[in-house]
Amino acid sequence: MAVGKAAGPGRFGHELRRLRKAAGLTQWQLVELSGVSMSTISQLERGSRAAPQAASAVMLADALGLAGQDREAFFATIRAERIPPGRRPPQAAPLPAAGHAIHGRDVVVAEIERLLDGGARWITLIGEGGIGKTRLALEIAHRVEAGGDRVVFWVSGELLREPAEVLPALALAAGVPERPGAPAIERIARATSERPGLAVLDNMEHLLDAASGIEAALAAAPALAVLATTRERFNTREETLVTVDPLPVPDSRDVRDIAANPAVRIFFERSGQAGGEPPVNEDLLAAARIVRTLDGLPLAVELAAAQRPTLSPSAIADVLEQAGVRGLGRWRSGPERTRSMEQAIRWSADLLPDDARTLFRMLSVFRGGFTIAAAAAVAAAAGQPAVAAALPALITASLVRETSRSAVPPRFAMLEPVRMVAALELAEAGEERTARDAHAANAVTSAVAASARQLGGGGGEREALAFFAAERANLLVALDHLLATGQSARALPLASALGFWWEHVGPARVGLPWLRRAIVADDGSGPARDRWHARFAGALLAVEAGDYGDMRRFAEEALEIAVNAGDLEGEATANIAVAIWEQTDSGDVDGALRRLDRAIGMAERAFASDNRAWLSLAFGSNLRGAYR
């Protein structure tokens, strides 16, 4: 049997070898730098494989250090190799493999199918990096192709650098080669003249200026529809937006609910446990911690899962809580910008204008969301008064999202992995202390004002309780920062405000350690009023928690501070706390009543016009009636 001569390398094989040698690299060194396998590089250079896949092409170009015209020539060679001049492939290029199973996306898949069936011409999936837009688009593409009514053309933005490249790439994906004098729009129209087409344009956030060309292609090809994925909308009239949300995370500790959660299912499938022994309860609880820490962001969950079997789920959860996104690790293959969660998010941030990039960093100090007013106050206090106007740019870029359209005022937040990366950038810029001080100052001002509204009665109390419920995480982060940085004078009024909220809604045992920490840190530099007030709040929490030792100590310290400062309101209020201790711990009802009478008299004589004194008066009078 005759053996034919092996084909020599094609144009791309020659070009790859030339570029590798010009860079002074061996094949093994190119493997190490690019992450592309040795077999692929060897096959390409020998000519047994004509051209690399899109992701491999980008990795090779990055490893070879190609930029500008050199990079474009490299990709042009790939395109020419895939579709030689003068030969029209019988059909469009095959779709990428769908990959792993999809979970938790039934509703959005049904919505996209409904839009396509209803005649939508341009659907854009938007969302944060790593939220699963590409996987969702692949699911739709394979379903449409399986249906047989449309031919599907897949274009990866990973290979493209300029908006002008989008339509030629689409024409090539549709199986129509370049011809002199044949514009890309004309070739796209010809590709869909006999059979409707769906163009899937993936990862397009850096190519948004291609919008007018895509609109022109839709006008020239009535049988064409577009499904695009991007982190930022194209902002055209034709566009129908579909926001891709994070996967839901478990909100209970019921292991059956946790096991059925889509984010948890992804964690165990990507960790290689699917199909094997079912996870034990401890692993399920740890997985719930992991996906909650990561706000259900699929790429982050997958990267966390990749840590197994090196780490147990419990260890992974601990690492994430300590190290943030840098505890996730990274893929060794695939496009560089999606190999780690940090890179995926920084890619979006790199596309921001300077003022929006500054605000992106500064917003990392918020926990549990923020209002526009809070963002503006922190930006102004940190010396960036114009930055808050950049918030819409962050929302448009899918780095910030509105958390509830019914909230008044509206609230916004970053997904936790996004916030973690923003916090890294804040530290790298040397702005962390400034931003955290500004955040804490705003928290103190807002909490003290809310506490005053609470004491005013009427609707003010409802507003105050709503404020504390919404801002609890921010207030605790601010309090922790003030205490950790030795700012006890600023910490005490914030601790007091939180103390009265905990006393009102509970549980007291959660709030008491915070008040105890603030009181222990008191260095005596703050106003006497804040110092005794914090101890009064601590005393109320202590009696609620059944800690009569703290209750007595805080009450007596509050009384001593008020007396030494000549603060009659403080003396009256502290006497109420001491009276509570006298009755509850020692059973001295008569002594408690005498002390209450003195406190009520002080409040009546000196502070009848002060809201907080009226609180003392009312509290003391009610307590006196209860003792009788």
Side-chain angles (χ1 to χ4, degrees):
M1 176 175 144
V3 178
K5 184 178 179 181
R11 181 181 172 192
F12 178 76
H14 280 298
E15 183 67 3
L16 178 60
R17 181 182 299 163
R18 183 189 71 78
L19 290 168
R20 175 177 60 77
K21 290 185 174 181
L25 301 173
T26 66
Q27 285 188 343
W28 276 115
Q29 287 171 328
L30 184 57
V31 168
E32 288 294 320
L33 288 172
S34 68
V36 177
S37 70
M38 170 58 82
S39 63
T40 296
I41 291 174
S42 178
Q43 289 170 9
L44 289 168
E45 291 196 0
R46 291 198 318 268
S48 58
R49 183 169 179 174
Q53 294 296 315
S56 296
V58 173
M59 291 188 285
L60 288 169
D62 290 342
L64 292 166
L66 300 180
Q69 293 182 347
D70 291 338
R71 191 180 185 97
E72 175 51 35
F74 181 79
F75 290 129
T77 303
I78 296 173
R79 290 195 291 268
E81 196 74 29
R82 286 179 178 159
I83 306 178
R87 182 173 67 83
R88 182 173 187 267
Q91 60 184 15
L95 292 174
H100 54 73
I102 193 167
H103 294 296
R105 298 301 194 193
D106 293 347
V107 173
V108 70
V109 166
E111 171 66 7
I112 298 166
E113 291 179 329
R114 183 190 66 78
L115 288 169
L116 287 172
D117 291 343
R121 298 291 308 283
W122 184 343
I123 302 169
T124 299
L125 309 183
I126 62 168
E128 293 85 346
I131 207 161
K133 302 181 296 295
T134 296
R135 179 63 189 89
L136 187 55
L138 266 174
E139 182 73 15
I140 296 296
H142 279 278
R143 291 189 182 199
V144 169
E145 186 175 69
D149 295 331
R150 304 179 193 241
V151 62
V152 182
F153 318 129
W154 183 275
V155 175
S156 174
E158 300 289 348
L159 278 177
L160 309 178
R161 291 295 178 268
E162 300 295 332
E165 298 174 337
V166 172
L167 292 187
L170 176 54
L172 287 174
V176 186
E178 297 182 36
R179 291 192 313 170
I185 288 179
E186 180 182 304
R187 289 152 50 213
I188 293 167
R190 179 151 54 90
T192 58
S193 60
E194 296 181 0
R195 188 179 176 195
L198 175 65
V200 183
L201 309 178
D202 187 43
N203 290 321
M204 301 296 289
E205 53 272 352
H206 59 303
L207 302 165
L208 298 176
D209 287 342
S212 58
I214 297 170
E215 282 189 320
L218 289 171
L224 177 69
V226 167
L227 176 64
T229 75
T230 174
R231 304 180 191 190
E232 182 173 345
R233 64 180 298 173
F234 286 89
N235 209 22
T236 70
R237 291 184 179 89
E238 287 276 5
E239 189 178 26
T240 300
L241 292 180
V242 175
T243 300
V244 182
D245 291 319
L247 294 170
V249 298
D251 58 2
S252 78
R253 290 181 57 84
D254 188 316
V255 292
R256 292 169 297 180
D257 293 340
I258 292 171
N261 178 264
V264 171
R265 291 179 65 188
I266 286 176
F267 175 81
F268 285 111
E269 286 185 9
R270 304 303 184 273
S271 67
Q273 192 161 336
E277 291 294 322
V280 297
N281 288 355
E282 292 78 4
D283 286 351
L284 284 168
L285 293 171
R289 283 174 59 202
I290 291 166
V291 301
R292 280 195 291 264
T293 297
L294 299 173
D295 268 346
L297 201 61
L299 175 60
V301 173
E302 292 178 8
L303 286 165
Q307 307 278 35
R308 298 195 70 198
T310 308
L311 296 173
S312 68
S314 180
I316 294 171
D318 289 343
V319 168
L320 287 177
E321 289 171 1
Q322 293 298 318
V325 291
R326 288 187 172 169
L328 286 172
R330 53 181 284 120
W331 300 128
R332 295 187 182 276
S333 62
E336 183 65 27
R337 73 183 192 188
T338 57
R339 289 191 190 182
S340 75
M341 197 68 246
E342 183 178 348
Q343 287 169 300
I345 294 166
R346 286 191 192 254
W347 164 260
S348 293
D350 287 342
L351 299 174
L352 295 170
D354 288 346
D355 58 347
R357 188 67 174 267
T358 300
L359 184 59
F360 171 68
R361 298 192 298 266
M362 297 179 64
L363 291 179
S364 68
V365 299
F366 287 98
R367 298 292 183 91
F370 56 88
T371 64
I372 293 175
V378 170
Q384 302 286 345
V387 166
L391 182 61
L394 299 182
I395 297 170
T396 300
S398 298
L399 290 167
V400 169
R401 55 173 56 208
E402 189 172 2
T403 56
S404 173
R405 295 188 180 277
S406 61
V408 179
R411 293 188 65 80
F412 303 85
M414 292 174 166
L415 294 182
E416 186 59 14
V418 177
R419 193 203 64 77
M420 289 174 178
V421 174
L424 290 175
E425 293 205 353
L426 186 72
E428 291 163 1
E431 301 167 340
E432 185 173 14
R433 178 61 187 266
T434 299
R436 291 195 179 281
D437 280 350
H439 174 258
N442 181 68
V444 173
T445 301
S446 301
V448 169
S451 182
R453 289 197 300 273
Q454 180 179 347
L455 298 176
E461 182 176 5
R462 290 191 298 273
E463 289 178 14
L465 292 175
F467 166 83
F468 282 111
E471 296 293 346
R472 176 179 177 274
N474 276 316
L475 300 179
L476 290 179
V477 166
L479 181 56
D480 183 67
H481 170 71
L482 293 172
L483 293 173
T485 53
Q487 302 181 66
S488 67
R490 300 176 73 189
L492 287 172
L494 178 55
S496 299
L498 278 164
F500 284 110
W501 178 68
W502 268 308
E503 195 274 330
H504 193 95
V505 302
R509 66 180 181 278
V510 172
L512 182 58
W514 285 96
L515 266 294
R516 186 184 297 125
R517 184 179 167 196
I519 292 166
V520 169
D522 181 12
D523 60 7
S525 62
R529 185 184 185 91
D530 291 339
R531 298 182 65 222
W532 68 252
H533 207 258
R535 286 162 172 82
F536 179 60
L540 294 182
L541 286 186
V543 74
E544 290 274 347
D547 187 337
Y548 298 116
D550 267 354
M551 195 274 168
R552 177 182 180 180
R553 178 166 64 88
F554 294 157
E556 290 180 341
E557 287 180 7
L559 183 58
E560 181 182 1
I561 292 168
V563 169
N564 289 340
D567 186 330
L568 292 181
E569 179 191 347
E571 187 176 349
T573 306
N575 269 302
I576 292 173
V578 174
I580 295 172
W581 168 76
E582 287 177 338
Q583 192 276 331
T584 55
D585 190 50
S586 68
D588 184 3
V589 176
D590 291 335
L593 287 173
R594 286 193 296 273
R595 191 177 293 276
L596 278 176
D597 285 337
R598 289 198 301 274
I600 292 169
M602 286 183 210
E604 286 176 332
R605 290 194 306 274
F607 303 102
S609 63
D610 184 281
N611 280 335
R612 286 200 290 185
W614 275 115
L615 176 68
S616 301
L617 177 62
F619 193 1
S621 298
N622 289 339
L623 194 61
R624 193 179 193 285
Y627 286 177
R628 287 298 189 192

